[in-house]
Amino acid sequence: MTDNWMRIADISPHHTTPMVRQFLQAKAECGDSLLFFRMGDFYELFFEDAIETAELLNLALTSRDGADKDKRIPMCGVPVRAVDGYVAKLVRMGRAVTICEQMEDPREAKGIVKRQVVRTVTPGTVMEAELLEDGCNNFLAAVCAADAAASAAFVDITTGEFLTLAADASGVAVLDEFARLAPSEILIADGADSALAATLRKRFPETAFTKRPPEEFDPEQAGETLLHLFRLSTLKGLGDLADAAGALGCAGALIAYIRETQRDSMPHLALPRHQQPSAFVALDANTQRNLELTATLSDKSKRGSLLGVLDRTLTGMGERKLRHWILHPPAKVNAILERQQAVTELFENITLRMTTRDCLKGMPDIERLLGRISASAGNARDVKALGAALGRTPELRNALEATEAPLLRGLFDALDPLDDITSRIDKALVNEPPMTLNEGNLIREGYNEELDRLRGLVHGGKNWIATLQQQERDRTGIAKLKVGYNRVFGYYIEISKGQANFAPADYERKQTLANAERFITPELKQREEEILTAQERMQSIEYDLFLELRRAVAAEAARIRNNADCIAALDAFAALADVAAANNYCRPDINDSGAIHIKDGRHPVVEAVTRQGEFVPNDTHLDCRGTRMLIMTGPNMAGKSTYLRQVALLCLMAQMGGYVPASSASIGVVDRIFTRVGASDNLVRGESTFMVEMIETAAILNTATENSLLVLDEIGRGTSTYDGISIAWSVAEYIHDTIRARTLFATHYHELTELGEKLEHAGNVNVAVRDWQDTIVFLYRVVEGGADHSYGIQVAKLAGLPTDVLKRARDILESLEAGGPATGAAEEAACRQMYLFAPAAAHEPGEIEKELERVDPDALSPREAQTLLYHLKHLANRPRGT
Ligand code: ADP
């Protein structure tokens, strides 16, 4: 800040103008947020806010006089019509914005214009379409830890969804849920020194954390708030939430925050749904990421994820529902079967599927529209679009009428035709209303008498003139009397000079022309005034009628939301049926057997990007009572990871109620899916690959149960060979003997195949490859038994390592396999022939050799191999002595 910039603290209480006082009052209401202060066609920012905003948004910073002549008040502004974009940018940068509006027309204001803070926009409370993704929720969360148990609540004010989560002693389920719902803002009680909050901050570095007064988390107060907000007489109807103090407190904190940020425009919320973590398959954050359920690991895009393949939904609400299902597969057989029946009926009954989907095509997002409308932010197009969307309900009900699956029947019963709402909207609004609300043209003819009369007045001007003319001719007997209009004098009655004397007494002379006199009458005057103001009055009547309609629609929010939820579920069911039909999936048998049998399973995503018919299907057999652990060996690139993930994904798809890419499948349900695959992006947080791997492994060993599915890829890879083997070995033994979960264990340590033979419930499989003319051919077929060798050098060859390096590597390998040192005397002659290793080379003798000795070809990805090669070349080309 330059020295002559004035700060808020510099304002002297004696020198304030009314405007500055008004500004300070608004500022006092907006906490840390940036105050957008409406002044005519601009929102202006002042003082520190202006300096910060000008920098963040790259706006010109100007100034105005301060009371102190040496100091100037920094200021910057954005035009009102572009405000949404600017607010969106700031919020995306993690800043909150408070909007202070002018509450009256400046032309009509006596003294200073009334202003009022109308709302605060924060990452978790945005309504701006620019900041929202169609198929994605924008959750605001609150979290608290009491008596060492963590609870949380989540709300999406743009759709009204409201979830609470039961207390969880370890905090694990709560953390998992945060990973699933990815809230954009998290409320925590100020001063609560909670380890949970610290963990959350570390895990979700990009999320905004907002401290709130601790009393807002008070469960008792929260109970009152809920009763009042939902007009309930008891909390009992909310199920277990009534007794879940922590979750209740979090729900209360959310409502208090929404009230504070939205002021008078509290959006309509659904009744909170209380979630028991045990109802769903537990998927920790790593598993969600590793299995690429809703986003890819590499670029976080939906394309290339499981959601990318399954999402054949036709509406934003449907996509959000499907995303939720993918992340929350039911853990209980009955719940899964219910869903599966619905998908099956839509799969088998093609007419039903097509009619349903035709009806859903292009349907506007009811939840988001309702969100805006109930928060008094929706315009006439929003209400019209809502009416059009709801108008399709009868058609959907017709389609569902003859269905048999209980969940589809349930949707039929629950879908409310909502005729009253749709017909009211239809009667009120014209077909294509404008975006603006105060320029008229919103309301249909015949909806309001006064409006029709005014319209008649304006549009029917000619008619009225003719009628009045006739009436006055009859009254005065002057046959040539004319009624006319001109811009300067308005309406007039014109009589020729010769007959002017016959004008009745109530005619008032207005203008004299060469051969005529013009008069006005009180009736004419009144009419004229009416017409002149009719336009304005029409606009204000239309505005009021619209607000009344919007309020009436918002008052039915609960019924409308219920329909939206049904439509979302129907869309998601139909999408699952459609993808099953299109990709040739089968209906899995779901049971409690503890066994997984898959015939010809395919990876849904890899299959989709592989050329038709080129994906090699594989079987899987895992049985808690039989072989429950498969040790999988095979060279890099053979398809191990694909196979591992495929099994996990098929279980998940089956448990969410969908069909699976296989020719047949029987899935004994799992309660958790754990994956430990590859290096994760924790590296940027400064933890070593090995540390991350061990933390994740520890979490799995500490939480997995007999009913879990464990997918472990390359455990122990991040450390030296002997450490690695030992850890992998003991982890496998522990899972086998103690946890007894179904497990897929991929490793490039051949030594571990011994485990497959030794342990009672373990078996060996490998991915077949063929050596062909010293080149490796991947067959992608999973077969019984361990791989005989690792083919690392062949893979390196595929990656394009120079022949000399490959040849040398092969020599070293042979020597190692024969039990000799890597660079024994026998190799020296060969070494000398190669420039790289020649003693005259420009590096310390043995440096490259040492480098090569350190590498484990099996552990190298093609990329790493290439990097190594560059490094070797660099060493070789270095001038002597450097
Ligand atoms: P690994 O984990 O053994 O290094 P991956 O599972 O990453 O190997 O597979 C390497 C590539 O092989 C995949 O990207 C995919 O293109 C292809 N692939 C894997 N499994 C199959 C399969 N069953 N059929 C066809 N191609 C496959």
Side-chain angles (χ1 to χ4, degrees):
M1 233 184 256
T2 59
D3 277 347
N4 64 345
W5 280 146
M6 196 168 162
R7 297 150 212 256
I8 290 188
D10 298 335
I11 301 172
S12 145
H14 310 296
H15 291 112
T16 55
T17 59
M19 172 91 113
V20 171
R21 277 197 294 278
Q22 202 182 37
F23 170 83
L24 287 177
Q25 196 185 350
K27 191 68 199 151
E29 280 184 50
C30 83
D32 283 342
S33 59
L34 299 165
L35 179 62
F36 275 49
F37 194 71
R38 175 80 181 257
M39 296 179 81
D41 291 337
F42 278 80
Y43 288 100
E44 301 286 1
L45 292 107
F46 299 102
F47 301 103
E48 290 90 330
D49 284 357
I51 295 172
E52 184 181 346
T53 308
E55 181 163 341
L56 290 175
L57 297 181
N58 213 357
L59 297 174
L61 186 65
T62 57
S63 64
R64 61 196 280 166
D65 287 342
D68 176 345
K69 62 178 172 341
D70 295 334
K71 298 228 171 191
R72 300 193 57 79
I73 300 175
M75 91 185 224
C76 67
V78 302
V80 168
R81 58 186 158 70
V83 68
D84 283 1
Y86 288 109
V87 170
K89 268 194 201 145
L90 288 169
V91 171
R92 217 175 274 133
M93 293 176 196
R95 286 302 268 136
V97 170
T98 294
I99 310 278
C100 179
E101 279 297 348
Q102 284 172 180
M103 300 313 281
E104 56 186 347
D105 189 332
R107 282 169 300 184
E108 286 164 17
K110 294 184 189 71
I112 185 165
V113 182
K114 254 197 231 116
R115 290 189 174 81
Q116 196 177 318
V117 167
V118 290
R119 79 192 179 101
T120 301
V121 188
T122 71
T125 59
V126 287
M127 284 282 187
E128 281 67 15
E130 278 96 340
L131 277 169
L132 301 169
E133 260 179 69
D134 284 350
C136 232
N137 280 101
N138 184 44
F139 280 110
L140 167 73
V143 65
C144 70
D147 303 332
S151 302
F154 301 84
V155 68
D156 179 348
I157 67 163
T158 68
T159 64
E161 276 153 283
F162 197 174
L163 298 169
T164 52
L165 199 63
D168 158 32
S170 62
V172 170
V174 168
L175 282 177
D176 290 352
E177 198 59 25
F178 273 88
R180 291 194 244 236
L181 301 183
S184 48
E185 183 174 2
I186 300 176
L187 309 181
I188 43 177
D190 195 7
D193 171 30
S194 117
L196 180 71
T199 314
L200 280 170
R201 279 180 192 272
K202 195 165 165 229
R203 288 266 181 100
F204 305 101
E206 277 158 33
T207 308
F209 283 81
T210 306
K211 290 191 175 155
R212 302 293 299 161
E215 57 275 15
E216 288 186 358
F217 287 77
D218 175 45
E220 216 163 294
Q221 182 57 44
E224 292 296 318
T225 309
L226 287 174
L227 288 179
H228 184 73
L229 181 68
F230 294 108
R231 297 197 188 90
L232 304 170
S233 54
T234 160
L235 290 177
K236 293 242 159 53
L238 301 178
D240 296 338
L241 178 60
D243 304 315
L248 208 53
C250 289
L254 289 179
I255 295 171
Y257 188 62
I258 299 172
R259 281 228 170 93
E260 187 177 308
T261 53
Q262 308 301 299
R263 302 296 197 286
D264 294 333
S265 307
M266 182 78 189
H268 183 269
L269 304 179
L271 279 175
R273 242 185 318 134
H274 194 55
Q275 217 167 270
Q276 293 295 352
S278 60
F280 304 102
V281 176
L283 298 165
D284 60 274
N286 288 320
T287 301
Q288 294 168 39
R289 262 203 313 271
N290 289 335
L291 292 180
E292 305 191 296
L293 296 182
T294 56
T296 57
L297 278 169
S298 54
D299 62 359
K300 308 265 174 290
S301 70
K302 171 179 151 190
R303 213 187 134 100
S305 69
L306 179 64
L307 177 66
V309 172
L310 297 186
D311 183 21
R312 293 189 166 230
T313 59
L314 297 160
T315 68
M317 337 170 238
E319 184 185 341
R320 290 192 296 273
K321 181 66 88 187
L322 187 67
R323 180 186 291 267
H324 191 82
W325 285 359
I326 290 177
L327 294 171
H328 298 83
K332 303 280 182 295
V333 173
N334 284 346
I336 301 167
L337 287 179
E338 262 194 337
R339 282 222 196 133
Q340 204 190 58
Q341 283 163 2
V343 175
T344 299
E345 188 160 357
L346 282 156
F347 175 85
E348 288 171 354
N349 185 341
I350 298 171
T351 321
L352 170 67
R353 180 166 15 118
M354 302 243 291
T355 343
T356 311
R357 285 174 61 80
D358 278 346
C359 189
L360 292 169
K361 220 168 271 166
M363 184 185 276
D365 193 330
I366 300 176
E367 286 173 333
R368 286 261 154 93
L369 290 171
L370 183 64
R372 285 206 290 276
I373 290 167
S374 75
S376 317
N379 61 28
R381 288 198 185 164
D382 291 332
V383 177
K384 190 78 195 170
L386 180 78
L390 296 176
R392 299 196 197 175
T393 315
E395 209 182 314
L396 279 178
R397 292 190 85 238
N398 279 347
L400 290 173
E401 192 162 9
T403 51
E404 283 166 11
L407 283 190
L408 294 182
R409 290 235 48 85
L411 293 181
F412 171 77
D413 292 336
L415 273 173
D416 181 335
L418 297 176
D419 295 336
D420 51 332
I421 302 175
T422 48
S423 70
R424 175 151 186 194
I425 295 175
D426 196 45
K427 274 196 200 115
L429 294 179
V430 297
N431 287 344
E432 286 179 22
M435 302 275 273
T436 49
L437 294 182
N438 43 20
E439 288 167 18
N441 300 325
L442 304 169
I443 305 291
R444 266 195 215 284
E445 296 284 345
Y447 184 70
N448 177 280
E449 252 177 53
E450 173 67 358
L451 184 63
D452 287 350
R453 192 185 70 80
L454 290 170
R455 279 194 178 140
L457 206 61
V458 172
H459 302 304
K462 281 210 179 89
N463 239 344
W464 171 75
I465 287 175
T467 317
L468 183 74
Q469 188 165 287
Q470 196 52 51
Q471 178 194 317
E472 292 302 303
R473 279 181 187 176
D474 293 348
R475 178 157 82 101
T476 58
I478 305 173
K480 291 207 172 142
L481 176 150
K482 272 196 290 189
V483 177
Y485 174 83
N486 88 16
R487 276 170 162 278
V488 184
F489 294 101
Y491 287 95
Y492 56 81
I493 292 172
E494 188 178 296
I495 304 174
S496 66
K497 275 253 159 76
Q499 298 198 294
N501 290 341
F502 300 111
D506 60 338
Y507 277 28
E508 186 184 320
R509 199 180 303 264
K510 186 84 193 182
Q511 191 188 8
T512 304
L513 303 180
N515 44 16
E517 293 284 349
R518 286 181 175 173
F519 302 87
I520 54 166
T521 65
E523 190 197 353
L524 208 52
K525 236 188 201 162
Q526 190 203 334
R527 278 290 194 168
E528 183 177 307
E529 235 168 50
E530 263 181 21
I531 287 171
L532 291 176
T533 53
Q535 204 85 38
E536 237 166 72
R537 285 182 47 212
M538 272 158 54
Q539 287 165 359
S540 101
I541 290 176
E542 289 203 56
Y543 181 72
D544 289 344
L545 288 173
F546 173 73
L547 291 195
E548 189 188 302
L549 174 73
R550 190 170 72 184
R551 269 194 300 271
V553 172
E556 300 298 338
R559 283 167 71 207
I560 298 173
R561 179 180 315 294
N562 172 60
N563 267 23
D565 200 48
C566 293
I567 293 171
L570 184 59
D571 193 8
F573 281 135
L576 287 176
D578 202 57
V579 73
N583 296 354
N584 197 17
Y585 293 174
C586 77
R587 176 182 184 170
D589 179 46
I590 303 289
N591 51 62
D592 263 329
S593 65
I596 294 171
H597 296 290
I598 297 167
K599 190 156 169 31
D600 302 325
R602 285 127 45 204
H603 188 297
V605 182
V606 178
E607 166 185 55
V609 294
T610 315
R611 260 188 298 166
Q612 183 128 35
E614 287 195 0
F615 190 90
V616 180
N618 279 301
D619 298 351
T620 306
H621 299 285
L622 281 171
D623 188 343
C624 281
R625 283 180 289 274
T627 303
R628 57 176 174 248
M629 173 178 278
L630 292 179
I631 310 265
M632 183 166 215
T633 39
N636 281 326
M637 293 301 288
K640 298 187 299 299
S641 312
T642 306
Y643 180 75
L644 258 51
R645 290 170 199 223
Q646 165 184 318
V647 176
L649 288 175
L650 261 61
C651 287
L652 189 141
M653 290 165 82
Q655 289 200 221
M656 66 184 274
Y659 281 31
V660 295
S663 58
S664 72
S666 161
I667 308 289
V669 293
V670 301
D671 64 353
R672 289 154 196 258
I673 299 176
F674 285 106
T675 60
R676 158 89 270 291
V677 191
S680 62
D681 54 6
N682 291 30
L683 291 180
V684 290
R685 276 181 256 151
E687 289 163 343
S688 75
T689 320
F690 182 62
M691 189 62 188
V692 172
E693 187 184 319
M694 287 302 110
I695 292 173
E696 290 180 15
T697 309
I700 297 175
L701 298 186
N702 292 329
T703 28
T705 76
E706 196 173 352
N707 293 319
S708 307
L709 174 68
L710 272 49
V711 170
L712 305 171
D713 197 358
E714 305 282 14
I715 289 284
R717 180 185 187 143
T719 182
S720 76
T721 309
Y722 287 127
D723 274 5
I725 294 181
S726 323
I727 292 173
W729 188 291
S730 66
V731 166
E733 265 183 3
Y734 182 79
I735 294 173
H736 179 273
D737 298 343
T738 310
I739 301 179
R740 308 155 75 91
R742 282 159 284 177
T743 307
L744 293 164
F745 200 108
T747 178
H748 67 279
Y749 296 130
H750 298 148
E751 291 80 350
L752 293 193
T753 53
E754 212 179 305
L755 270 179
E757 285 156 20
K758 202 173 122 239
L759 299 177
E760 185 189 349
H761 295 284
N764 282 314
V765 288
N766 74 87
V767 201
V769 291
R770 190 187 295 145
D771 242 335
W772 184 72
Q773 293 184 347
D774 203 25
T775 302
I776 186 171
V777 180
F778 297 115
L779 302 177
Y780 305 118
R781 216 162 7 85
V782 176
V783 292
E784 280 190 21
D788 42 9
H789 66 286
S790 74
Y791 301 94
I793 294 175
Q794 284 90 332
V795 176
K797 182 178 174 191
L798 287 183
L801 238 60
T803 334
D804 285 350
V805 176
L806 293 168
K807 182 169 180 309
R808 174 68 180 142
R810 217 169 275 123
D811 292 343
I812 297 173
L813 179 67
E814 268 170 30
S815 162
L816 283 171
E817 284 179 346
T823 51
E827 281 81 27
E828 273 209 4
C831 290
R832 242 177 269 121
Q833 287 168 20
M834 280 187 278
Y835 169 75
L836 271 180
F837 297 92
H843 59 85
E844 286 295 307
E847 202 174 332
I848 290 180
E849 287 88 327
K850 270 191 231 150
E851 198 68 37
L852 269 180
E853 205 173 325
R854 260 201 294 275
V855 302
D856 169 6
D858 288 343
L860 291 183
S861 68
R863 171 125 207 132
E864 286 162 346
Q866 195 181 24
T867 313
L868 171 69
L869 181 63
Y870 277 121
H871 180 56
L872 292 177
K873 268 196 95 148
H874 171 74
L875 288 180
N877 291 333
R878 247 176 11 190
R880 185 184 285 274
T882 56

